[in-house]
Amino acid sequence: MKRMINKSFAVHPDFKSHTGGTLSFGGGAAQVMSKKQKLNSRSSTEAELIAVDDVVTMILWTKLFMEWQGYPIEKNILYQDNKSMILLEENGRKSAGKRSQAINIRYFFITDQVEKGNVKIKYCPTDNMIADFMTKPLQGEKFRKFRDLILGSQE
């Protein structure tokens, strides 16, 4: 199970960010989401953490649902293109710098899930972050590439 989550920072008129994500079991996207964040964030990293918090319950629910259907999920991978965010998710408060210390502790729920082994975080280069399709307008080759990946017409 591969989930890609990304955000666009402060893109709405009220300066709220936007969350986008995809879920894939191989080819194509089984689930996509795109929604405005409910909170204003002070940094791009904080907006990314809010994006993950917005979808973490769906990540865990999908894993449990598949297992109850008789399909054991050995790899529940969350891909991100922000290395600072990956450190925050894996290490929690220990990786919080001066700009991220104001982040509310409730957003470290993902850190707890990583420690329990329910989710594994992996780096995905921005050029391969399919969730960008759900958060910002894309043009040309990048649009066509991500569209084809989401529709399952390209591996």
Side-chain angles (χ1 to χ4, degrees), residues 1-2 23-29 149 154-155:
M1 221 167 61
K2 297 177 182 177
L23 167 67
S24 175
F25 293 100
L149 286 168
Q154 178 184 14
E155 287 295 321

Side-chain angles (χ1 to χ4, degrees), residues 74-111:
E74 295 175 17
K75 294 180 180 178
N76 192 14
I77 303 169
L78 169 60
Y79 288 96
Q80 299 229 262
D81 64 354
N82 183 324
K83 290 184 179 183
S84 296
M85 193 57 235
I86 293 171
L87 286 173
L88 277 172
E89 290 164 343
E90 291 179 339
N91 302 325
R93 274 287 203 225
K94 295 178 277 187
S95 293
K98 286 183 179 183
R99 290 199 63 181
S100 56
Q101 287 190 4
I103 298 173
N104 194 320
I105 196 68
R106 68 184 164 141
Y107 292 107
F108 287 106
F109 177 72
I110 188 69
T111 303

Side-chain angles (χ1 to χ4, degrees), residues 7 22 44 46 52 60-62 68 86-87 109 112 116 121 141 145 155:
K7 58 71 193 93
T22 62
S44 177
E46 185 176 352
V52 171
L60 299 173
W61 181 89
T62 306
W68 278 75
I86 293 171
L87 286 173
F109 177 72
D112 188 44
K116 290 178 179 177
I121 311 289
E141 183 57 35
K145 173 186 171 185
E155 287 295 321

Side-chain angles (χ1 to χ4, degrees), residues 5-6 24 29 33 36 40-41 43 48 54 62 71-72 85 92 94 103 107 120 122 128 130 139:
I5 297 173
N6 207 359
S24 175
M33 60 93 59
K36 180 179 177 180
N40 282 69
S41 52
S43 70
E48 190 103 21
D54 283 348
T62 306
Y71 300 100
M85 193 57 235
K94 295 178 277 187
I103 298 173
Y107 292 107
K120 181 167 180 60
K122 285 193 175 181
N128 297 329
I130 299 170
Q139 299 179 31

